[in-house]
């Protein structure tokens, strides 16, 4: 074994330049060292190399790097110290590789930014230098030092010295670890079938991946299907969306599950076991009818049932402005064309069953929720948004005054398929308004605590579009736009803004302070301060449209917890990195598409969906993924078999087994995610957490508080 | 910041005692939150040294006690909010252990205000800065750890 190792080293040295030939040699090294003794620390003397990064002036500007370097030389086990302006650059990484080889280092410490940013970079560099990539430890002297102690040179330099000492203490005890490869299920899941979810599913399907598309509503299309026109091109929203909806329905790679919710998620990247709750629909498809032996039966969308249903409820799709029955479809172009019974309002009179007839027999009033289990390799969340309940901002009178509506209600009123057939009318008297006020930032950019602090990002633009629509449809009608700033940041958006100005819309810069209703005419007085003319305004209008803020969809919080995805303070789902990984999450194999990650207009939503689909298809096409080898391992000589850890494990990865006449714990590595909850409790210290082992953590604590001496 | 606490950044300089505070934080929430504080240039006192673990569930009560035995003037454990743990429920289990540590500290005559467990998410950079500042101010008020008196110098 020793001879073999020597031979390998020679080979590596002689063929240093020829990287192609070096690659298979490295694999040989990997195989030889594949079985480190569990629980043992390094036998050979640790020789650690410390590399300090200036990060330009990000780090060097706030601390004395030469002092840290001089100090690092005095730390036990340190064999080499160097610094470089940008350690993450190619030459910076080359410094590491060269130093490891020349100084026979056993571990690498890089004092630079956060390991959450560049740990993978330096692990690769460590690997390329011939060491095991897990022989690397990072000292965070940027995010948690130079950037947060910018005016305290002494304090930050001392902290950096300690950080290096702590990292060296851990690096000296690190072991070789080998990531485990697991196969990836060749299927994906998309949660939410709005424009983002549909685009992601279509892209995955086009890449040849079986995709489960889960939608909580009875039909797909999401918010975009409620819109009339889209800015700035004035494309008809339905016209550009319907082909996509039809494609989703037609694709043989997409298994569409509407009226369904994710109920439970187990597993990890490559192997998610997802349980889906198919809510009782009460109506069966032709395929389901055939399965039940009703040949030629099932729902064909004729609508006979709807005609006879005696229950009348407000239609949510039309924002409550149109009635629906207990058995209904959202709108005429729905995909799938399949009626659904709202069992919360159904009185089970059976009239629909009779109307449906003995041939189709599509209605089943005794339907129950069904649970379906599927296995997928990756998942995309595209759960979208809801409108902020703007009645909370009482001063604008929504739900108090009949003629104050939200933009979504405006969309339905101006839409040809909407409740009024595209005629914009005042809800109070059905008259056509001649003066319409648009209140922008209604609940957005609001620091009072009632509304949302963020910009909802598309309200300015759709309000401009609304202004255009009323100028176009109602001769003589004047739109008044009350704004704080017009944010027209996208491609051709600013040009659209100019166009609307030229068309005659009136712009008044001022946040609306109050809206008062005239009790007799039901007209509204919009009161604000015109901040450009510096004078108070009291304007009488016929209709007020509130461009309400948006917030994460109601079920987002539940869904994200099932997938282990974090959220920001506003509830939007948290991306892995705001700049460089906007579609990824901290849960490997779970991605974000569309507005669930933060407010986006349609182009951005579609782009993010395509990005998420591309990211989600990578592990599936790779066929296998490497899992970080932070598994728990049982040191069986120390294990007393008490079984406390078995109940602590949230993943049921631990079990008690009989071995050599003793009861000991055993870890199922495929189930272990490496949280260490077992290792944090084990009274006998019998659980060895790879890379976060007790001796390693204690060494870090000692290194800080005892100055590296035990 | 409406929460109670002292969030004024304390003065530093020659002759002013500086506490040694051991932080043990989880990778997914509080460490990320601390990174976000860096990105946002939220300034806080440099008296804390962080050990990163994957989950607060990993934190053995003995780690905290070892830090105090080694002479730490304060210990801060920080993880995800309840219900937000990357590993489902590690923070609940950690919190239970940390209550035990607090009781133990009281019974051996060590002020349990020297030890704190907080919940800082990956999006709460400003909160991380406030938490560290408050912990530093609290430990400064309490003075050097009495354990250091018993240490053999």
């Amino acid at each position: 074994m020793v001879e073999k190792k020597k031979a390998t080293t020679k080979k590596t040295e002689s063929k240093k330049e020829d990287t192609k030939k070096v690659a298979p040699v490295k694999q040989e090294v990997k195989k030889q060292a594949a079985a480190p003794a569990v629980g043992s620390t390094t036998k050979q003397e640790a020789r650690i190399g410390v590399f300090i990064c200036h990060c330009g002036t990000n780090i060097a500007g706030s601390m004395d790097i030469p002092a840290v370097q001089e100090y690092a030389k005095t730390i036990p086990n340190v064999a080499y110290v160097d610094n470089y302006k940008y350690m993450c650059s190619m030459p910076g990484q080359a410094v590491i590789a060269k130093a490891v080889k020349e100084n026979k280092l056993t571990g690498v410490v890089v004092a630079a930014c956060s390991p959450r940013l560049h740990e993978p970079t330096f692990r690769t560099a460590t690997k390329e230098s011939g060491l095991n990539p897990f022989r690397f430890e990072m000292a965070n002297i940027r995010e948690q030092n130079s950037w947060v102690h910018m005016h305290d040179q002494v304090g930050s330099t001392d902290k950096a010295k300690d950080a290096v000492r702590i990292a060296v203490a851990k690096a000296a005890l690190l072991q070789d670890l080998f990531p485990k490869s697991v196969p990836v299920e060749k299927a994906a899941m998309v949660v939410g079938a709005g424009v983002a979810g549909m685009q992601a599913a279509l892209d995955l399907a086009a890449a040849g991946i079986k995709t489960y598309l889960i939608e909580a509503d009875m039909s797909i299309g999401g918010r975009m299907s409620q819109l009339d026109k889209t800015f700035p091109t004035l494309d008809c929203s339905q016209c550009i969306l319907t082909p996509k909806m039809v494609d989703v329905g037609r694709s043989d790679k997409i298994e569409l599950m509407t009226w369904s919710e994710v109920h439970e998620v187990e597993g990890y990247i490559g192997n998610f076991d997802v349980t889906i709750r198919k809510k009782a629909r009460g109506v069966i498809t032709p395929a389901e009818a055939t399965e039940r032996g009703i040949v030629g039966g099932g729902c064909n969308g004729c609508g006979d049932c709807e005609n006879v249903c005696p229950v009348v409820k407000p239609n949510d799709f039309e924002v409550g402005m149109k009635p629906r029955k207990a058995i209904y479809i959202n709108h005429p172009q729905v995909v799938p064309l399949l009626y659904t019974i709202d069992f919360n309002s159904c009185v089970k009179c059976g009239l629909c069953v009779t109307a449906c007839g003995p041939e189709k027999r599509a209605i089943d009033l005794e339907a129950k929720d069904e649970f379906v289990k599927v296995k997928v390799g990756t998942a995309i969340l595209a759960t979208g948004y809801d409108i902020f309940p703007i009645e909370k901002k009482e001063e604008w009178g929504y739900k108090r005054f009949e003629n104050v509506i939200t933009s979504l209600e405006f969309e339905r009123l101006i839409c040809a398929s909407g409740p009024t057939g595209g005629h914009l009318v005042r809800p109070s008297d059905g008259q056509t308004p001649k003066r319409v006020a648009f209140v922008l930032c209604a609940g957005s950019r609001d620091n009072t605590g009632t509304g949302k602090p963020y910009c909802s990002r598309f309200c300015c633009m759709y309000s401009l579009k609304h202004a255009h629509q009323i100028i176009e449809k109602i001769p003589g009608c004047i739109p008044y736009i009350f704004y704080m700033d017009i944010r027209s940041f996208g491609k051709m958006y600013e040009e659209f803004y100019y166009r609307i100005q030229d068309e005659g819309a009136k712009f008044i810069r001022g946040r609306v302070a109050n809206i008062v209703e005239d009790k007799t005419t039901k007209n509204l007085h919009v009161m604000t301060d015109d901040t450009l003319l510096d004078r108070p305004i009291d304007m009488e209008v016929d209709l007020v449209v509130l461009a309400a803020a948006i917030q994460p969809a109601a079920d987002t919080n539940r869904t994200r917890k099932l997938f282990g995805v974090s959220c920001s303070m506003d509830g939007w789902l948290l991306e892995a990195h705001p700049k460089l990984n906007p579609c990824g999450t901290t849960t490997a194999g779970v991605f974000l598409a569309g507005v669930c990650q933060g407010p986006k207009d349609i182009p951005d939503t579609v782009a993010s969906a395509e990005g998420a689909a591309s990211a989600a298809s990578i592990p599936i096409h790779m066929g296998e993924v490497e899992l970080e080898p932070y598994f728990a391992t049982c040191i069986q000589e120390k294990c007393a078999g008490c079984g406390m850890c078995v109940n602590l494990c949230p993943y049921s990865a631990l079990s008690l087994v009989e071995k050599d006449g003793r009861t000991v714990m055993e870890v199922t590595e495929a189930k272990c995610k490496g949280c260490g909850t077992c290792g944090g409790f084990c009274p006998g210290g019998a659980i060895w957490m790879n890379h976060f082992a007790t001796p390693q953590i204690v060494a870090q604590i000692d290194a800080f508080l005892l100055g590296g001496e035990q | 910041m409406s929460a109670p606490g002292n969030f004024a950044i304390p003065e530093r300089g020659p002759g002013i005692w500086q506490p040694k505070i051991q932080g043990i934080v989880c990778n997914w929430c509080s460490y990320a939150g601390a990174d976000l504080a860096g990105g946002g240039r939220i300034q806080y006192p440099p008296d804390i040294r962080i050990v990163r673990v994957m989950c607060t569930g990993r934190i053995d009560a003995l780690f905290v006690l070892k830090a105090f035995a080694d002479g730490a003037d304060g210990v801060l454990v920080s993880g995800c909010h309840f219900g937000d743990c990357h590993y489902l429920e590690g923070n609940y289990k950690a919190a239970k252990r940390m209550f035990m540590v607090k009781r133990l500290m009281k019974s051996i005559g060590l002020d349990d205000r020297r030890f704190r467990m907080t919940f800082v998410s990956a999006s709460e950079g400003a909160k991380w800065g406030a938490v560290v500042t408050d912990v530093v101010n609290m430990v400064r008020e309490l003075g050097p750890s009495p354990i250091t008196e018993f240490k053999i110098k």
Side-chain angles (χ1 to χ4, degrees):
Chain A
M1 185 108 172
V2 179
E3 276 175 20
K4 256 192 189 174
K5 252 188 188 166
K6 270 183 189 167
T8 326
T9 327
K10 268 183 195 168
K11 265 188 205 169
T12 321
E13 277 170 2
S14 61
K15 290 172 182 173
K16 222 184 283 176
E17 284 84 24
D18 193 348
T19 43
K20 274 180 195 168
K21 284 179 187 168
V22 171
V25 177
K26 269 186 208 151
Q27 280 176 3
E28 210 176 299
V29 176
K30 182 177 163 178
K31 273 178 203 161
Q32 282 173 12
V38 163
S40 71
T41 47
T42 38
K43 273 159 254 142
Q44 68 199 108
E45 195 199 334
R47 292 174 60 79
I48 308 298
V50 177
F51 303 88
I52 304 161
C53 180
H54 296 232
C55 196
T57 56
N58 279 317
I59 295 170
S62 307
M63 68 176 70
D64 185 355
I65 294 223
V68 178
Q69 179 161 356
E70 282 312 304
Y71 174 76
K73 287 177 184 166
T74 67
I75 300 170
N77 290 328
V78 171
Y80 182 82
V81 187
D82 205 346
N83 70 83
Y84 192 73
K85 204 158 188 181
Y86 294 102
M87 281 312 302
C88 58
S89 65
M90 284 293 278
Q93 295 187 47
V95 168
I96 298 175
K98 187 161 171 271
V100 169
K101 282 173 191 154
E102 285 178 359
N103 299 282
K104 298 192 174 59
L105 301 178
T106 62
V108 173
V109 167
V110 175
C113 52
S114 169
R116 292 177 58 88
L117 187 67
H118 271 321
E119 194 174 55
T121 313
F122 293 119
R123 275 207 179 138
T124 311
T126 308
K127 194 178 176 187
E128 280 173 355
S129 71
L131 282 176
N132 182 284
F134 292 89
R135 295 266 185 169
F136 163 74
E137 178 66 15
M138 205 152 177
N140 186 338
I141 59 167
R142 194 180 75 170
E143 278 86 345
Q144 297 185 18
N145 191 339
S146 69
W147 277 353
V148 290
H149 317 305
M150 295 181 85
H151 312 297
D152 187 352
Q153 176 123 8
V154 178
S156 59
T157 307
D158 284 349
K159 191 174 178 179
K161 288 176 182 173
D162 285 356
V164 170
R165 190 172 71 233
I166 291 166
V168 168
K170 182 167 178 185
L173 298 177
L174 287 175
Q175 290 183 315
D176 289 355
L177 293 174
F178 300 93
K180 229 184 157 63
S181 278
V182 291
V184 177
E185 185 71 24
K186 298 227 174 292
M189 170 170 288
V190 180
V191 184
V195 66
M198 292 197 304
Q199 185 64 51
L202 285 170
D203 284 6
L204 287 166
I209 296 163
K210 163 92 180 171
T211 306
Y212 298 93
L213 181 56
I214 314 298
E215 170 58 49
D217 201 355
M218 59 179 69
S219 59
I220 61 173
R223 290 284 166 210
M224 193 178 162
S225 65
Q226 288 179 287
L227 309 181
D228 180 40
K229 297 283 185 294
T230 58
F231 58 80
T233 52
L234 301 173
D235 281 316
C236 159
S237 183
Q238 284 277 8
C239 310
I240 55 175
L241 189 68
T242 314
K244 280 197 192 298
M245 286 160 56
V246 173
D247 284 349
V248 167
R250 194 191 284 145
S251 171
D252 56 352
K253 287 280 182 195
I254 299 176
E255 188 167 334
L256 179 59
M257 296 186 190
T258 52
W259 208 240
S260 301
E261 288 171 354
V262 177
H263 181 70
E264 205 176 355
V265 182
E266 277 181 357
Y268 47 91
I269 181 170
N271 301 276
F272 290 108
D273 290 304
V274 186
T275 311
I276 297 152
R277 183 164 77 95
K278 288 180 121 179
K279 292 180 278 186
R281 175 164 230 154
V283 177
I284 57 171
T285 62
E288 284 166 341
T290 313
E291 269 174 37
R292 295 186 188 189
I294 314 165
V295 180
C299 180
N300 63 2
C302 67
D304 291 346
C305 49
E306 191 177 13
N307 293 336
V308 297
C309 180
V311 179
V312 177
K313 288 274 167 185
N315 186 339
D316 286 341
F317 183 82
E318 304 286 358
V319 207
M321 295 184 296
K322 200 177 178 178
R324 65 155 170 93
K325 302 295 183 66
I327 184 164
Y328 68 112
I329 52 173
N330 275 332
H331 58 96
Q333 297 106 313
V334 288
V335 173
L337 181 52
L338 182 64
Y339 274 78
T340 303
I341 299 176
D342 167 21
F343 279 108
N344 289 328
S345 54
C346 175
V347 293
K348 299 204 176 179
C349 63
L351 286 172
C352 53
V353 179
T354 321
C356 192
E359 274 87 50
K360 284 181 283 182
R361 280 191 277 165
I363 295 169
D364 174 9
L365 290 176
E366 301 308 317
K368 293 271 176 306
D369 290 4
E370 283 174 43
F371 293 88
V372 184
K373 261 199 167 178
V374 297
K375 190 164 189 164
V376 295
T378 53
I380 294 175
L381 302 185
T383 50
Y385 68 94
D386 280 342
I387 304 292
F388 169 73
I390 196 64
E391 61 270 25
K392 285 189 182 171
K393 298 291 286 184
E394 291 172 6
E395 62 268 35
W396 295 326
Y398 182 64
K399 290 199 174 169
R400 283 196 293 137
F401 307 143
E402 285 173 81
N403 293 330
V404 176
I405 61 172
T406 66
S407 303
L408 197 58
E409 287 168 328
F410 182 92
E411 290 283 352
R412 293 315 300 157
L413 287 172
I414 203 94
C415 180
S417 68
T420 56
H423 298 289
L424 180 66
V425 294
R426 278 159 43 105
S428 69
D429 51 15
Q431 295 298 308
T432 305
K434 289 287 172 194
R435 298 160 296 178
V436 181
F438 292 92
V439 177
L440 270 56
C441 296
S444 306
R445 304 174 68 194
D446 181 328
N447 291 322
T448 61
T450 314
K452 303 291 179 184
Y454 49 82
C455 167
S456 295
R457 236 168 148 253
F458 46 66
C459 334
C460 285
M461 289 307 295
Y462 71 56
S463 295
L464 293 177
K465 174 195 73 181
H466 290 167
H468 167 84
Q469 282 178 297
I470 58 172
I471 291 169
E472 185 184 76
K473 284 202 168 189
I474 309 169
C477 182
I478 304 168
Y480 297 94
I481 297 178
F482 293 86
Y483 69 102
M484 299 213 288
D485 305 282
I486 294 289
R487 295 187 164 178
S488 50
F489 51 83
K491 193 175 180 181
M492 297 303 286
Y493 287 11
E494 188 73 6
E495 292 86 337
F496 188 70
Y497 175 27
Y498 293 147
R499 176 180 165 187
I500 307 308
Q501 285 178 332
D502 291 343
E503 283 178 351
K506 307 284 181 216
F507 290 81
I508 298 149
R509 202 186 84 174
R511 167 165 255 172
V512 173
N514 199 10
I515 294 177
V516 182
E517 188 185 47
D518 184 324
K519 293 292 172 211
T520 48
T521 60
K522 300 278 180 186
N523 286 350
L524 301 151
H525 289 266
V526 180
M527 306 197 189
T528 185
D529 187 45
D530 188 325
T531 54
L532 292 180
L533 299 177
D534 194 17
R535 66 173 189 209
I537 299 253
D538 174 354
M539 184 173 289
E540 188 177 350
V541 294
D542 305 322
L543 184 70
V544 170
V545 182
L546 302 176
I550 59 166
Q551 61 184 24
D555 210 25
T556 306
N557 211 33
R558 188 190 67 87
T559 313
R560 77 169 176 86
K561 283 183 182 174
L562 292 174
F563 284 95
V565 173
S566 310
C567 68
S568 64
M569 275 172 284
D570 309 314
W572 301 112
L573 302 187
L574 200 65
E575 61 287 325
H577 190 280
K579 302 266 184 297
L580 302 177
N581 197 352
C583 293
T585 69
T586 48
T587 305
V590 179
F591 304 90
L592 306 176
V595 181
C596 66
Q597 182 255 344
K600 284 179 196 63
D601 55 11
I602 294 167
D604 287 2
T605 295
V606 173
S608 103
E610 296 197 299
S614 155
S617 69
I618 293 168
I620 292 172
H621 284 311
M622 292 298 287
E624 56 179 34
V625 284
E626 285 193 341
L627 300 182
E628 279 191 324
Y630 300 158
F631 312 119
T633 326
C634 180
I635 307 166
Q636 295 186 334
E637 306 85 76
K638 287 189 184 174
C639 178
C642 68
M644 300 280 230
C645 52
V646 176
N647 293 331
L648 281 173
C649 179
Y651 302 107
S652 321
L654 314 180
S655 53
L656 290 179
V657 292
E658 290 292 321
K659 220 168 197 181
D660 306 328
R662 295 174 59 227
T663 306
V664 290
M665 185 273 278
E666 200 174 64
V667 183
T668 311
E669 279 188 4
K671 285 185 179 175
C672 176
K673 293 201 183 184
C675 64
T677 304
C678 53
F681 187 79
C682 180
I687 295 172
W688 179 270
M689 291 307 304
N690 280 343
H691 215 68
F692 293 93
T694 302
Q696 294 165 354
I697 294 172
V698 171
Q700 285 177 290
I701 295 170
D702 286 347
F704 165 35
L705 295 158
L706 304 176
E709 294 148 33
Q710 296 280 334
Chain B
M1 182 68 59
S2 55
N6 180 0
F7 305 110
I9 293 183
E11 271 188 44
R12 293 169 58 84
I16 301 177
W17 174 70
Q18 286 159 20
K20 282 184 161 189
I21 295 166
Q22 176 71 62
I24 312 178
V25 307
C26 82
N27 178 57
W28 302 100
C29 289
S30 291
Y31 198 90
D35 279 354
L36 192 70
R41 310 298 194 277
I42 308 283
Q43 303 296 303
Y44 56 83
D47 299 316
I48 189 164
R49 307 290 182 266
I50 299 294
V51 167
R52 179 173 67 117
V53 290
M54 292 312 273
C55 177
T56 46
R58 174 69 190 96
I59 303 170
D60 197 317
L62 293 175
F63 295 167
V64 180
L65 298 177
K66 180 76 170 94
F68 279 117
D70 283 354
D73 301 304
V75 175
L76 170 66
V77 165
S78 191
C80 306
H81 288 275
F82 286 140
D84 245 0
C85 177
H86 189 76
Y87 302 101
L88 309 177
E89 50 200 32
N91 52 356
Y92 285 101
K93 284 156 188 170
K96 274 193 153 181
R97 276 173 220 157
M98 299 312 140
F99 276 119
M100 184 182 80
V101 171
K102 279 199 163 251
R103 280 207 301 276
L104 184 69
M105 287 173 70
K106 276 184 196 161
S107 64
I108 62 171
L110 197 57
D111 196 319
D112 71 335
R113 288 176 294 174
R114 291 183 184 279
F115 171 58
R116 191 181 298 186
M117 180 166 185
T118 60
F119 307 94
V120 176
S121 83
S123 64
E124 294 177 327
K127 182 176 174 186
W128 173 256
V131 160
V132 174
T133 309
D134 188 39
V135 166
V136 169
N137 283 327
M138 171 59 75
V139 175
R140 276 193 175 210
E141 200 179 292
L142 296 170
S145 165
I147 288 178
T148 46
E149 289 172 26
F150 303 113
K151 278 175 77 176
I152 303 151
K153 299 225 167 84

